[in-house]
Amino acid sequence: MSLRKFFIPVGTLFILSSVPLSFSQQKQKAPGEKERKVKTEAARVFTDWPKQDVSLIITPAELNAYNKLNTDDEREKFIQHFWDMRDPDPDTAENEYKAEYYERIAYANEHYSSGKPGWLSDRGRIYIKFGKPDEIESHPSGGATSMNQFAESVTTYPFEKWFYRYIPGIGSGIEIEFIDPTGTGEFRTARSPNEKVAFMPAGAHFDENSNYRREQDSPFAISDLLNRLDQAPEFKPKRFGDGALTGTPTIDNDPLHFEINAAFFRQSDNRVIAAFTIQTDNRDLVFSDIGGLPTARLNIHGQIITVAERRVGAFEDSVTTTSTPDELSDIKERRSAYAKAVVLNPGRYRVDVRVVDISSGATGSKRFGFEVPRFDTNKLAVSSLVLTSKLENMNGQPSVGPFVIGQNKVVPNLTGTYRRGQPIGFYLQVYNAGTDQTTLRPSVEVEYVLLKEGKELRKQPENWNGMSDAGERLTLAHLLDSTSLEPGTYELAIRIRDQVSGQALSPSAKFTVLP
Protein backbone atom coordinates (compact mmCIF):
# COMPACT_ATOMS: atom_id res chain seq x y z
CA MET A 1 0.00 0.00 0.00
CA SER A 2 1.56 3.29 -1.03
CA LEU A 3 0.99 6.91 -1.88
CA ARG A 4 3.86 8.19 -3.97
CA LYS A 5 4.79 11.70 -4.97
CA PHE A 6 2.92 13.12 -7.94
CA PHE A 7 1.25 16.31 -9.03
CA ILE A 8 -1.92 15.87 -11.04
CA PRO A 9 -4.80 18.13 -12.15
CA VAL A 10 -7.95 17.25 -10.17
CA GLY A 11 -11.66 18.39 -10.10
CA THR A 12 -6.25 23.54 9.11
CA LEU A 13 -3.78 24.58 11.38
CA PHE A 14 -2.40 24.13 14.95
CA ILE A 15 0.57 26.12 16.24
CA LEU A 16 3.15 24.56 18.55
CA SER A 17 5.42 27.44 19.48
CA SER A 18 6.37 29.63 22.39
CA VAL A 19 7.54 33.16 23.05
CA PRO A 20 10.52 33.66 25.42
CA LEU A 21 10.39 36.07 28.33
CA SER A 22 11.93 39.48 27.84
CA PHE A 23 15.26 40.44 29.45
CA SER A 24 13.53 42.30 32.24
CA GLN A 25 12.07 40.13 34.97
CA GLN A 26 8.36 39.53 34.41
CA LYS A 27 6.13 41.01 37.07
CA GLN A 28 4.29 38.51 39.27
CA LYS A 29 0.51 38.88 39.66
CA ALA A 30 -0.35 40.44 42.99
CA PRO A 31 -3.25 39.13 45.08
CA GLY A 32 -6.51 40.57 43.83
CA GLU A 33 -4.93 41.92 40.66
CA LYS A 34 -7.42 42.01 37.81
CA GLU A 35 -7.02 39.70 34.84
CA ARG A 36 -6.87 42.61 32.42
CA LYS A 37 -3.42 43.49 33.78
CA VAL A 38 -2.16 40.00 33.01
CA LYS A 39 -3.42 40.30 29.45
CA THR A 40 -1.70 43.65 29.06
CA GLU A 41 1.57 42.16 30.32
CA ALA A 42 1.21 39.23 27.90
CA ALA A 43 0.75 41.62 24.99
CA ARG A 44 3.96 43.40 26.02
CA VAL A 45 5.92 40.24 25.23
CA PHE A 46 5.40 40.86 21.54
CA THR A 47 6.20 44.58 21.89
CA ASP A 48 9.37 44.00 23.90
CA TRP A 49 10.65 41.04 21.89
CA PRO A 50 12.35 42.99 19.03
CA LYS A 51 13.40 45.86 21.34
CA GLN A 52 14.89 43.76 24.12
CA ASP A 53 15.03 40.01 23.60
CA VAL A 54 16.63 39.99 20.16
CA SER A 55 17.61 43.64 19.58
CA LEU A 56 21.27 42.57 19.33
CA ILE A 57 20.80 39.86 16.70
CA ILE A 58 17.71 40.73 14.65
CA THR A 59 18.57 41.94 11.14
CA PRO A 60 17.07 45.15 9.67
CA ALA A 61 15.05 43.07 7.18
CA GLU A 62 13.64 40.91 9.96
CA LEU A 63 12.79 43.95 12.10
CA ASN A 64 11.06 45.61 9.17
CA ALA A 65 9.04 42.47 8.52
CA TYR A 66 8.10 42.06 12.18
CA ASN A 67 6.90 45.67 12.44
CA LYS A 68 4.50 45.06 9.54
CA LEU A 69 2.69 42.20 11.29
CA ASN A 70 -0.84 42.95 12.43
CA THR A 71 -1.81 40.17 14.86
CA ASP A 72 -0.20 38.40 17.82
CA ASP A 73 -0.73 35.09 16.04
CA GLU A 74 1.41 36.33 13.13
CA ARG A 75 4.04 37.60 15.56
CA GLU A 76 4.13 34.27 17.39
CA LYS A 77 4.68 32.40 14.12
CA PHE A 78 7.40 34.87 13.14
CA ILE A 79 9.23 34.41 16.45
CA GLN A 80 9.15 30.62 16.10
CA HIS A 81 10.50 30.88 12.56
CA PHE A 82 13.18 33.37 13.69
CA TRP A 83 14.65 30.84 16.11
CA ASP A 84 14.15 27.87 13.77
CA MET A 85 16.30 29.66 11.18
CA ARG A 86 19.21 29.83 13.61
CA ASP A 87 18.91 26.31 15.02
CA PRO A 88 22.24 24.58 14.23
CA ASP A 89 20.75 21.10 14.56
CA PRO A 90 16.99 20.82 13.83
CA ASP A 91 17.11 17.07 14.56
CA THR A 92 17.58 17.69 18.29
CA ALA A 93 14.82 18.69 20.68
CA GLU A 94 16.70 21.77 21.89
CA ASN A 95 17.53 24.84 19.83
CA GLU A 96 21.19 25.13 20.82
CA TYR A 97 21.59 28.64 19.43
CA LYS A 98 18.60 29.97 21.35
CA ALA A 99 19.71 28.30 24.58
CA GLU A 100 23.25 29.65 24.31
CA TYR A 101 21.98 33.11 23.41
CA TYR A 102 19.95 33.40 26.61
CA GLU A 103 22.84 31.91 28.62
CA ARG A 104 25.08 34.67 27.25
CA ILE A 105 22.53 37.28 28.31
CA ALA A 106 22.48 35.87 31.85
CA TYR A 107 26.29 35.88 31.95
CA ALA A 108 26.50 39.47 30.67
CA ASN A 109 23.96 40.66 33.23
CA GLU A 110 25.93 38.97 36.01
CA HIS A 111 29.44 40.11 35.02
CA TYR A 112 29.12 43.36 33.06
CA SER A 113 26.41 45.34 34.91
CA SER A 114 27.40 48.78 36.19
CA GLY A 115 24.52 51.16 36.68
CA LYS A 116 22.71 49.51 33.77
CA PRO A 117 22.02 45.90 32.80
CA GLY A 118 25.02 44.01 31.50
CA TRP A 119 23.35 43.23 28.18
CA LEU A 120 23.27 47.00 27.45
CA SER A 121 27.00 47.49 28.16
CA ASP A 122 29.56 47.47 25.37
CA ARG A 123 31.27 44.34 26.68
CA GLY A 124 27.91 42.65 27.21
CA ARG A 125 26.75 43.39 23.65
CA ILE A 126 29.93 41.98 22.14
CA TYR A 127 29.83 38.91 24.40
CA ILE A 128 26.17 38.16 23.60
CA LYS A 129 26.66 38.56 19.85
CA PHE A 130 29.96 36.73 19.40
CA GLY A 131 30.52 34.68 22.53
CA LYS A 132 33.49 34.41 24.82
CA PRO A 133 36.70 35.86 23.31
CA ASP A 134 39.63 33.52 22.70
CA GLU A 135 41.88 35.69 24.87
CA ILE A 136 41.40 38.56 27.34
CA GLU A 137 44.15 40.95 28.43
CA SER A 138 42.81 42.58 31.58
CA HIS A 139 44.12 45.67 33.44
CA PRO A 140 41.42 46.29 36.07
CA SER A 141 43.45 48.99 37.82
CA GLY A 142 45.14 50.57 34.81
CA GLY A 143 48.77 51.45 35.45
CA ALA A 144 51.95 52.46 33.64
CA THR A 145 52.53 51.34 30.07
CA SER A 146 54.60 52.28 27.05
CA MET A 147 52.55 54.02 24.41
CA ASN A 148 54.91 55.08 21.62
CA GLN A 149 58.09 54.23 19.73
CA PHE A 150 60.16 56.23 22.26
CA ALA A 151 59.02 53.94 25.08
CA GLU A 152 57.63 56.87 27.01
CA SER A 153 55.66 55.59 30.00
CA VAL A 154 52.12 56.83 30.66
CA THR A 155 49.39 55.99 33.16
CA THR A 156 46.21 54.42 31.82
CA TYR A 157 42.64 54.00 32.91
CA PRO A 158 41.46 50.44 33.62
CA PHE A 159 41.16 48.66 30.27
CA GLU A 160 40.68 45.27 28.66
CA LYS A 161 41.66 43.88 25.29
CA TRP A 162 39.53 41.10 23.80
CA PHE A 163 40.94 38.95 21.05
CA TYR A 164 38.90 36.75 18.67
CA ARG A 165 40.74 34.48 16.28
CA TYR A 166 37.79 34.60 13.86
CA ILE A 167 34.31 36.13 13.78
CA PRO A 168 32.05 35.09 10.86
CA GLY A 169 31.30 38.06 8.63
CA ILE A 170 33.86 40.23 10.46
CA GLY A 171 37.26 38.64 9.86
CA SER A 172 40.30 37.08 11.56
CA GLY A 173 42.55 38.43 14.30
CA ILE A 174 39.92 40.77 15.76
CA GLU A 175 41.05 42.98 18.69
CA ILE A 176 38.56 45.05 20.68
CA GLU A 177 39.67 47.42 23.45
CA PHE A 178 37.44 48.53 26.30
CA ILE A 179 38.29 51.37 28.73
CA ASP A 180 36.83 52.50 32.07
CA PRO A 181 37.65 56.22 32.38
CA THR A 182 35.23 56.75 35.30
CA GLY A 183 36.53 53.87 37.40
CA THR A 184 32.96 52.63 37.95
CA GLY A 185 33.30 49.36 36.07
CA GLU A 186 31.41 50.69 33.05
CA PHE A 187 33.83 49.81 30.26
CA ARG A 188 33.18 51.28 26.82
CA THR A 189 34.75 50.48 23.47
CA ALA A 190 37.77 52.60 22.58
CA ARG A 191 37.98 54.26 19.17
CA SER A 192 41.71 54.93 19.51
CA PRO A 193 44.59 53.24 21.37
CA ASN A 194 45.24 56.60 23.08
CA GLU A 195 41.83 56.81 24.77
CA LYS A 196 43.00 54.74 27.70
CA VAL A 197 45.70 57.30 28.61
CA ALA A 198 44.89 58.90 31.96
CA PHE A 199 48.18 60.75 32.62
CA MET A 200 51.27 61.68 30.60
CA PRO A 201 54.57 62.81 32.17
CA ALA A 202 55.64 66.39 31.49
CA GLY A 203 57.15 66.73 28.07
CA ALA A 204 55.69 63.45 26.78
CA HIS A 205 53.84 63.65 23.50
CA PHE A 206 52.31 61.49 20.82
CA ASP A 207 52.88 61.66 17.12
CA GLU A 208 49.44 60.78 15.74
CA ASN A 209 51.04 59.49 12.54
CA SER A 210 53.85 57.43 14.02
CA ASN A 211 51.85 55.98 16.91
CA TYR A 212 49.68 53.71 14.72
CA ARG A 213 52.30 51.15 13.79
CA ARG A 214 49.56 48.70 12.68
CA GLU A 215 46.92 49.57 10.12
CA GLN A 216 44.27 48.06 12.39
CA ASP A 217 45.12 50.67 15.06
CA SER A 218 44.26 53.63 12.85
CA PRO A 219 41.08 55.54 13.77
CA PHE A 220 39.58 54.69 10.39
CA ALA A 221 40.17 50.92 10.79
CA ILE A 222 38.87 50.93 14.37
CA SER A 223 35.75 52.90 13.40
CA ASP A 224 35.06 50.52 10.52
CA LEU A 225 35.48 47.50 12.80
CA LEU A 226 33.16 48.91 15.46
CA ASN A 227 30.52 49.72 12.86
CA ARG A 228 30.62 46.13 11.62
CA LEU A 229 30.50 44.76 15.15
CA ASP A 230 27.44 46.89 15.76
CA GLN A 231 25.49 45.00 13.08
CA ALA A 232 23.48 41.84 13.73
CA PRO A 233 25.83 38.82 13.68
CA GLU A 234 25.98 36.84 10.49
CA PHE A 235 24.10 33.54 10.33
CA LYS A 236 23.48 31.02 7.60
CA PRO A 237 19.78 30.17 7.05
CA LYS A 238 19.05 26.56 7.95
CA ARG A 239 17.82 24.11 5.37
CA PHE A 240 14.14 23.29 5.24
CA GLY A 241 13.01 19.82 4.28
CA ASP A 242 16.52 18.43 3.72
CA GLY A 243 17.41 20.85 1.00
CA ALA A 244 15.82 24.20 0.42
CA LEU A 245 16.97 27.30 2.22
CA THR A 246 14.19 28.92 4.18
CA GLY A 247 15.80 32.34 4.19
CA THR A 248 15.17 35.29 6.48
CA PRO A 249 11.57 35.77 7.63
CA THR A 250 9.99 38.49 5.51
CA ILE A 251 6.54 39.70 4.56
CA ASP A 252 5.46 37.95 1.36
CA ASN A 253 3.35 40.34 -0.65
CA ASP A 254 2.49 37.63 -3.20
CA PRO A 255 1.77 34.48 -1.18
CA LEU A 256 0.86 31.18 -2.80
CA HIS A 257 -2.27 29.68 -1.26
CA PHE A 258 -2.64 25.94 -0.82
CA GLU A 259 -4.57 23.43 1.25
CA ILE A 260 -3.06 20.57 3.23
CA ASN A 261 -4.61 17.59 4.99
CA ALA A 262 -3.66 14.14 6.19
CA ALA A 263 -5.43 10.77 6.15
CA PHE A 264 -4.40 7.81 8.31
CA PHE A 265 -4.38 4.10 7.44
CA ARG A 266 -3.22 1.19 9.59
CA GLN A 267 -0.08 -0.54 8.38
CA SER A 268 0.61 -2.80 11.35
CA ASP A 269 -0.22 -3.03 15.04
CA ASN A 270 1.88 0.01 15.96
CA ARG A 271 2.63 1.66 12.62
CA VAL A 272 0.37 4.03 10.70
CA ILE A 273 0.59 5.43 7.18
CA ALA A 274 0.09 9.20 7.23
CA ALA A 275 -0.93 10.24 3.72
CA PHE A 276 -0.48 13.97 3.16
CA THR A 277 -2.21 15.80 0.32
CA ILE A 278 -1.26 19.32 -0.76
CA GLN A 279 -3.66 20.99 -3.15
CA THR A 280 -3.43 24.27 -5.10
CA ASP A 281 -5.80 26.13 -7.40
CA ASN A 282 -4.32 26.15 -10.89
CA ARG A 283 -5.50 29.73 -11.40
CA ASP A 284 -2.90 30.77 -8.77
CA LEU A 285 -0.03 29.14 -10.69
CA VAL A 286 2.06 30.62 -13.49
CA PHE A 287 2.19 28.41 -16.61
CA SER A 288 5.36 28.96 -18.64
CA ASP A 289 6.08 27.55 -22.09
CA ILE A 290 8.35 24.52 -21.76
CA GLY A 291 8.87 22.51 -24.92
CA GLY A 292 5.78 24.07 -26.47
CA LEU A 293 3.51 23.12 -23.55
CA PRO A 294 2.22 25.46 -20.81
CA THR A 295 3.73 24.07 -17.60
CA ALA A 296 3.46 25.10 -13.96
CA ARG A 297 6.37 24.05 -11.75
CA LEU A 298 6.39 23.92 -7.97
CA ASN A 299 8.96 23.06 -5.34
CA ILE A 300 7.42 21.44 -2.27
CA HIS A 301 9.39 21.08 0.95
CA GLY A 302 8.24 19.68 4.27
CA GLN A 303 9.51 18.41 7.58
CA ILE A 304 7.65 16.43 10.22
CA ILE A 305 8.26 17.49 13.82
CA THR A 306 7.29 15.84 17.11
CA VAL A 307 5.91 17.75 20.09
CA ALA A 308 9.45 17.52 21.52
CA GLU A 309 10.68 19.52 18.50
CA ARG A 310 12.53 16.53 17.03
CA ARG A 311 12.43 16.07 13.27
CA VAL A 312 11.32 12.55 12.32
CA GLY A 313 10.77 12.93 8.60
CA ALA A 314 11.30 15.29 5.68
CA PHE A 315 10.50 15.49 1.99
CA GLU A 316 11.42 17.72 -0.93
CA ASP A 317 10.04 17.36 -4.45
CA SER A 318 9.78 19.30 -7.67
CA VAL A 319 6.43 18.71 -9.35
CA THR A 320 4.72 19.90 -12.52
CA THR A 321 1.27 20.42 -14.01
CA THR A 322 1.22 20.39 -17.80
CA SER A 323 -1.46 21.39 -20.29
CA THR A 324 -1.87 21.80 -24.02
CA PRO A 325 -2.39 25.37 -25.26
CA ASP A 326 -6.00 24.55 -26.15
CA GLU A 327 -6.77 23.09 -22.72
CA LEU A 328 -5.04 25.78 -20.66
CA SER A 329 -8.15 27.82 -19.88
CA ASP A 330 -9.94 24.67 -18.68
CA ILE A 331 -6.94 23.45 -16.66
CA LYS A 332 -6.74 26.79 -14.84
CA GLU A 333 -10.25 26.23 -13.48
CA ARG A 334 -9.19 22.96 -11.89
CA ARG A 335 -6.86 22.02 -9.04
CA SER A 336 -3.56 20.23 -8.74
CA ALA A 337 -2.68 17.84 -5.94
CA TYR A 338 0.50 16.33 -4.56
CA ALA A 339 0.68 13.26 -2.32
CA LYS A 340 3.28 12.05 0.14
CA ALA A 341 2.99 9.06 2.46
CA VAL A 342 5.08 8.62 5.62
CA VAL A 343 4.96 5.78 8.15
CA LEU A 344 4.71 7.09 11.73
CA ASN A 345 4.08 5.84 15.23
CA PRO A 346 0.86 6.97 16.95
CA GLY A 347 1.22 10.40 18.55
CA ARG A 348 1.04 14.14 17.99
CA TYR A 349 3.08 15.82 15.26
CA ARG A 350 3.17 18.82 12.99
CA VAL A 351 4.33 19.19 9.42
CA ASP A 352 5.90 22.44 8.24
CA VAL A 353 5.29 22.84 4.50
CA ARG A 354 6.63 25.38 2.04
CA VAL A 355 5.44 25.58 -1.59
CA VAL A 356 7.22 27.76 -4.16
CA ASP A 357 6.02 28.58 -7.68
CA ILE A 358 9.30 28.41 -9.63
CA SER A 359 8.13 30.73 -12.41
CA SER A 360 6.69 33.55 -10.30
CA GLY A 361 8.57 33.08 -7.02
CA ALA A 362 5.26 33.19 -5.12
CA THR A 363 5.64 31.26 -1.87
CA GLY A 364 3.24 29.75 0.62
CA SER A 365 4.05 28.29 4.04
CA LYS A 366 1.86 26.43 6.50
CA ARG A 367 2.31 24.63 9.79
CA PHE A 368 -0.21 21.79 10.05
CA GLY A 369 -0.75 19.97 13.34
CA PHE A 370 -2.15 16.45 13.43
CA GLU A 371 -2.51 13.36 15.62
CA VAL A 372 -1.70 9.89 14.31
CA PRO A 373 -4.35 7.55 15.78
CA ARG A 374 -3.67 4.26 17.51
CA PHE A 375 -5.66 1.39 15.98
CA ASP A 376 -6.64 -1.11 18.66
CA THR A 377 -6.27 -4.65 17.28
CA ASN A 378 -9.18 -5.92 19.38
CA LYS A 379 -11.77 -3.33 18.41
CA LEU A 380 -13.66 -2.40 15.29
CA ALA A 381 -11.83 0.58 13.77
CA VAL A 382 -11.80 2.67 10.62
CA SER A 383 -9.28 4.74 8.71
CA SER A 384 -9.82 8.36 7.80
CA LEU A 385 -12.87 8.89 5.60
CA VAL A 386 -11.52 10.47 2.41
CA LEU A 387 -13.69 12.48 0.05
CA THR A 388 -12.22 12.11 -3.41
CA SER A 389 -12.17 14.05 -6.64
CA LYS A 390 -10.98 10.93 -8.46
CA LEU A 391 -11.58 7.31 -7.47
CA GLU A 392 -10.61 4.40 -9.72
CA ASN A 393 -10.29 0.66 -9.21
CA MET A 394 -6.95 -0.60 -10.54
CA ASN A 395 -8.65 -3.82 -11.78
CA GLY A 396 -5.73 -6.06 -10.92
CA GLN A 397 -3.03 -3.72 -12.20
CA PRO A 398 0.15 -3.38 -10.11
CA SER A 399 -0.58 -1.43 -6.94
CA VAL A 400 2.02 1.23 -7.57
CA GLY A 401 1.88 4.79 -8.77
CA PRO A 402 0.66 8.16 -7.58
CA PHE A 403 -2.23 8.21 -5.11
CA VAL A 404 -2.56 4.40 -5.18
CA ILE A 405 -3.88 2.75 -2.00
CA GLY A 406 -4.28 -1.00 -2.28
CA GLN A 407 -6.33 -1.65 -5.45
CA ASN A 408 -7.64 1.92 -5.71
CA LYS A 409 -6.39 5.19 -7.06
CA VAL A 410 -7.57 7.79 -4.53
CA VAL A 411 -7.14 11.51 -5.23
CA PRO A 412 -8.54 13.47 -2.26
CA ASN A 413 -10.75 16.53 -2.61
CA LEU A 414 -9.58 18.77 0.24
CA THR A 415 -12.16 21.48 -0.31
CA GLY A 416 -15.10 19.05 -0.27
CA THR A 417 -16.84 20.97 -3.07
CA TYR A 418 -18.35 19.37 -6.19
CA ARG A 419 -20.19 20.66 -9.24
CA ARG A 420 -23.66 19.26 -9.70
CA GLY A 421 -23.35 16.13 -11.83
CA GLN A 422 -19.75 15.50 -10.73
CA PRO A 423 -19.36 12.09 -9.02
CA ILE A 424 -18.78 12.35 -5.28
CA GLY A 425 -16.25 9.74 -4.28
CA PHE A 426 -15.32 8.43 -0.87
CA TYR A 427 -12.80 5.92 0.43
CA LEU A 428 -12.64 4.16 3.81
CA GLN A 429 -10.88 1.16 5.31
CA VAL A 430 -12.47 -0.95 8.07
CA TYR A 431 -10.27 -2.94 10.45
CA ASN A 432 -10.91 -5.94 12.72
CA ALA A 433 -14.33 -6.76 11.24
CA GLY A 434 -15.81 -10.17 12.06
CA THR A 435 -16.02 -12.89 9.38
CA ASP A 436 -18.86 -15.35 8.83
CA GLN A 437 -17.17 -18.74 9.02
CA THR A 438 -19.78 -20.29 6.72
CA THR A 439 -19.61 -17.84 3.83
CA LEU A 440 -16.12 -16.57 4.62
CA ARG A 441 -17.47 -13.08 3.97
CA PRO A 442 -17.45 -10.13 6.35
CA SER A 443 -20.12 -10.45 8.97
CA VAL A 444 -20.61 -6.71 8.88
CA GLU A 445 -23.57 -4.55 7.98
CA VAL A 446 -22.69 -1.33 6.16
CA GLU A 447 -25.16 1.34 5.13
CA TYR A 448 -24.45 4.60 3.32
CA VAL A 449 -26.73 7.42 4.40
CA LEU A 450 -26.99 10.81 2.71
CA LEU A 451 -28.29 13.63 4.92
CA LYS A 452 -29.15 17.28 4.49
CA GLU A 453 -29.86 19.50 7.50
CA GLY A 454 -30.07 16.35 9.62
CA LYS A 455 -32.72 14.68 7.44
CA GLU A 456 -32.04 11.38 5.68
CA LEU A 457 -32.41 11.66 1.91
CA ARG A 458 -31.33 8.20 0.82
CA LYS A 459 -29.83 4.95 2.10
CA GLN A 460 -27.83 2.30 0.32
CA PRO A 461 -26.55 -0.97 1.81
CA GLU A 462 -23.09 -2.29 0.97
CA ASN A 463 -22.96 -5.08 -1.57
CA TRP A 464 -20.13 -7.41 -0.57
CA ASN A 465 -19.96 -9.09 -3.97
CA GLY A 466 -16.52 -8.77 -5.46
CA MET A 467 -14.90 -8.00 -2.13
CA SER A 468 -11.21 -8.68 -2.73
CA ASP A 469 -9.56 -7.51 0.48
CA ALA A 470 -8.15 -10.26 2.63
CA GLY A 471 -7.43 -10.58 6.33
CA GLU A 472 -8.82 -8.05 8.78
CA ARG A 473 -9.16 -5.09 6.40
CA LEU A 474 -12.20 -4.17 4.33
CA THR A 475 -12.24 -1.40 1.74
CA LEU A 476 -15.25 0.79 1.09
CA ALA A 477 -14.84 2.81 -2.11
CA HIS A 478 -17.85 4.28 -3.90
CA LEU A 479 -18.99 7.06 -6.21
CA LEU A 480 -22.25 8.87 -5.49
CA ASP A 481 -24.28 10.40 -8.31
CA SER A 482 -24.86 14.10 -7.61
CA THR A 483 -27.06 14.81 -10.64
CA SER A 484 -30.27 14.89 -8.59
CA LEU A 485 -28.80 16.87 -5.69
CA GLU A 486 -29.79 20.49 -5.28
CA PRO A 487 -26.97 22.95 -4.49
CA GLY A 488 -26.19 23.01 -0.79
CA THR A 489 -24.29 21.29 2.01
CA TYR A 490 -24.72 17.56 2.64
CA GLU A 491 -23.39 14.94 5.01
CA LEU A 492 -22.38 11.39 4.16
CA ALA A 493 -22.59 8.96 7.09
CA ILE A 494 -21.33 5.38 6.87
CA ARG A 495 -23.02 3.21 9.47
CA ILE A 496 -20.99 0.11 10.24
CA ARG A 497 -22.09 -2.72 12.55
CA ASP A 498 -20.05 -5.83 13.30
CA GLN A 499 -22.56 -8.69 13.72
CA VAL A 500 -19.99 -10.84 15.52
CA SER A 501 -18.90 -8.44 18.25
CA GLY A 502 -21.88 -6.09 18.16
CA GLN A 503 -19.59 -3.07 17.84
CA ALA A 504 -20.73 -0.15 15.70
CA LEU A 505 -19.14 2.95 14.16
CA SER A 506 -20.51 5.78 12.06
CA PRO A 507 -17.81 7.96 10.45
CA SER A 508 -19.10 10.92 8.43
CA ALA A 509 -17.97 13.77 6.20
CA LYS A 510 -19.61 16.92 4.87
CA PHE A 511 -19.47 18.15 1.29
CA THR A 512 -20.95 20.95 -0.78
CA VAL A 513 -22.68 20.74 -4.15
CA LEU A 514 -22.39 23.79 -6.40
CA PRO A 515 -24.64 24.59 -9.39
Side-chain angles (χ1 to χ4, degrees):
M1 180 163 57
S2 65
L3 273 85
R4 300 194 175 186
K5 64 180 183 179
F6 195 73
F7 209 63
I8 178 174
V10 298
T12 266
L13 181 68
F14 299 92
I15 301 301
L16 301 176
S17 60
S18 60
V19 180
L21 294 175
S22 62
F23 290 169
S24 56
Q25 184 177 5
Q26 297 302 299
K27 194 174 182 180
Q28 298 297 319
K29 182 178 178 181
E33 185 177 4
K34 295 182 179 180
E35 184 65 23
R36 60 183 180 85
K37 294 185 178 181
V38 176
K39 292 182 179 180
T40 301
E41 187 70 17
R44 285 187 54 195
V45 172
F46 296 107
T47 302
D48 292 345
W49 183 78
K51 299 176 182 178
Q52 296 187 15
D53 286 66
V54 295
S55 62
L56 300 179
I57 60 173
I58 191 169
T59 67
E62 290 173 322
L63 181 59
N64 182 59
Y66 187 84
N67 288 336
K68 291 181 179 179
L69 300 177
N70 296 317
T71 68
D72 286 348
D73 183 57
E74 291 176 341
R75 296 181 184 100
E76 186 175 13
K77 295 175 188 176
F78 184 102
I79 291 170
Q80 180 66 40
H81 187 61
F82 177 92
W83 291 117
D84 288 345
M85 292 299 304
R86 291 162 169 80
D87 189 353
D89 189 357
D91 291 330
T92 61
E94 181 181 40
N95 185 325
E96 293 81 3
Y97 178 92
K98 180 179 177 182
E100 183 177 355
Y101 176 72
Y102 281 102
E103 287 174 2
R104 290 179 184 179
I105 292 171
Y107 183 92
N109 286 336
E110 181 179 354
H111 292 85
Y112 303 133
S113 296
S114 56
K116 61 182 178 182
W119 73 274
L120 289 174
S121 70
D122 285 0
R123 288 186 300 173
R125 291 187 300 105
I126 296 297
Y127 182 89
I128 292 168
K129 286 183 177 182
F130 308 111
K132 182 179 179 180
D134 295 295
E135 296 178 18
I136 296 179
E137 178 187 333
S138 180
H139 300 269
S141 301
T145 186
S146 176
M147 288 291 294
N148 63 15
Q149 59 182 329
F150 304 109
E152 292 179 313
S153 180
V154 298
T155 301
T156 67
Y157 297 117
F159 72 96
E160 287 185 357
K161 280 186 179 181
W162 287 15
F163 177 77
Y164 290 89
R165 294 188 180 89
Y166 176 73
I167 297 178
I170 305 297
S172 302
I174 304 300
E175 285 186 7
I176 309 168
E177 194 166 68
F178 303 93
I179 61 171
D180 177 17
T182 62
T184 61
E186 185 175 336
F187 287 76
R188 60 174 176 80
T189 52
R191 294 187 172 273
S192 165
N194 300 336
E195 285 191 41
K196 62 176 170 285
V197 177
F199 173 77
M200 291 192 305
H205 68 282
F206 291 109
D207 183 337
E208 292 295 329
N209 295 318
S210 65
N211 187 56
Y212 307 123
R213 295 185 293 272
R214 302 180 305 174
E215 191 279 332
Q216 69 188 64
D217 292 332
S218 70
F220 175 80
I222 293 176
S223 178
D224 178 66
L225 172 62
L226 294 182
N227 286 337
R228 286 184 288 132
L229 290 173
D230 197 44
Q231 306 301 313
E234 181 182 85
F235 77 97
K236 293 182 179 180
K238 299 306 165 190
R239 293 187 176 272
F240 188 96
D242 283 341
L245 292 176
T246 50
T248 298
T250 58
I251 296 297
D252 189 350
N253 294 320
D254 188 22
L256 179 65
H257 299 285
F258 64 90
E259 300 293 332
I260 180 172
N261 209 339
F264 307 102
F265 306 93
R266 189 181 74 178
Q267 184 189 56
S268 62
D269 288 351
N270 209 31
R271 302 285 277 172
V272 178
I273 294 176
F276 299 101
T277 302
I278 297 170
Q279 183 174 280
T280 64
D281 287 329
N282 288 343
R283 70 172 71 94
D284 295 333
L285 309 181
V286 173
F287 285 78
S288 302
D289 188 288
I290 299 179
L293 294 176
T295 303
R297 298 176 299 159
L298 297 180
N299 281 338
I300 297 177
H301 318 282
Q303 55 183 358
I304 302 168
I305 311 294
T306 68
V307 292
E309 294 296 319
R310 184 173 67 89
R311 188 175 65 176
V312 294
F315 52 90
E316 178 181 1
D317 293 304
S318 295
V319 294
T320 61
T321 295
T322 303
S323 170
T324 65
D326 294 337
E327 296 174 337
L328 182 58
S329 59
D330 179 60
I331 288 293
K332 284 192 173 183
E333 295 304 314
R334 299 164 69 185
R335 303 184 184 95
S336 291
Y338 162 85
K340 184 68 179 182
V342 180
V343 177
L344 297 171
N345 292 323
R348 292 183 179 273
Y349 303 83
R350 77 168 192 264
V351 58
D352 296 342
V353 177
R354 186 168 183 254
V355 180
V356 181
D357 187 322
I358 297 175
S359 297
S360 68
T363 301
S365 297
K366 281 192 177 182
R367 177 168 287 178
F368 177 74
F370 60 95
E371 182 173 3
V372 177
R374 182 179 301 277
F375 293 101
D376 194 321
T377 57
N378 299 317
K379 294 182 179 180
L380 186 68
V382 295
S383 70
S384 300
L385 174 56
V386 181
L387 291 175
T388 72
S389 58
K390 189 173 186 179
L391 180 62
E392 296 179 354
N393 190 289
M394 301 298 291
N395 294 320
Q397 299 179 35
S399 299
V400 294
F403 294 99
V404 173
I405 309 178
Q407 289 297 314
N408 294 273
K409 186 171 187 177
V410 182
V411 182
N413 182 342
L414 300 192
T415 64
T417 58
Y418 298 86
R419 291 290 179 183
R420 189 175 183 180
Q422 180 183 357
I424 300 167
F426 64 89
Y427 180 90
L428 181 74
Q429 292 182 357
V430 182
Y431 310 115
N432 309 322
T435 302
D436 189 313
Q437 297 302 313
T438 302
T439 63
L440 299 181
R441 290 184 180 278
S443 184
V444 177
E445 291 181 348
V446 175
E447 189 175 48
Y448 308 115
V449 182
L450 187 64
L451 304 98
K452 185 177 184 181
E453 297 178 351
K455 297 180 180 179
E456 295 184 2
L457 301 181
R458 68 172 80 157
K459 293 182 181 179
Q460 177 183 332
E462 172 62 72
N463 182 355
W464 294 112
N465 293 332
M467 173 59 64
S468 59
D469 281 5
E472 299 178 339
R473 184 191 68 186
L474 302 173
T475 296
L476 306 178
H478 285 274
L479 293 172
L480 299 179
D481 185 3
S482 66
T483 305
S484 62
L485 297 181
E486 295 295 328
T489 300
Y490 296 82
E491 181 179 4
L492 170 69
I494 304 179
R495 296 172 181 171
I496 306 167
R497 179 176 175 79
D498 187 335
Q499 294 179 323
V500 175
S501 65
Q503 299 175 78
L505 295 172
S506 184
S508 64
K510 292 184 177 182
F511 62 90
T512 301
V513 175
L514 302 177

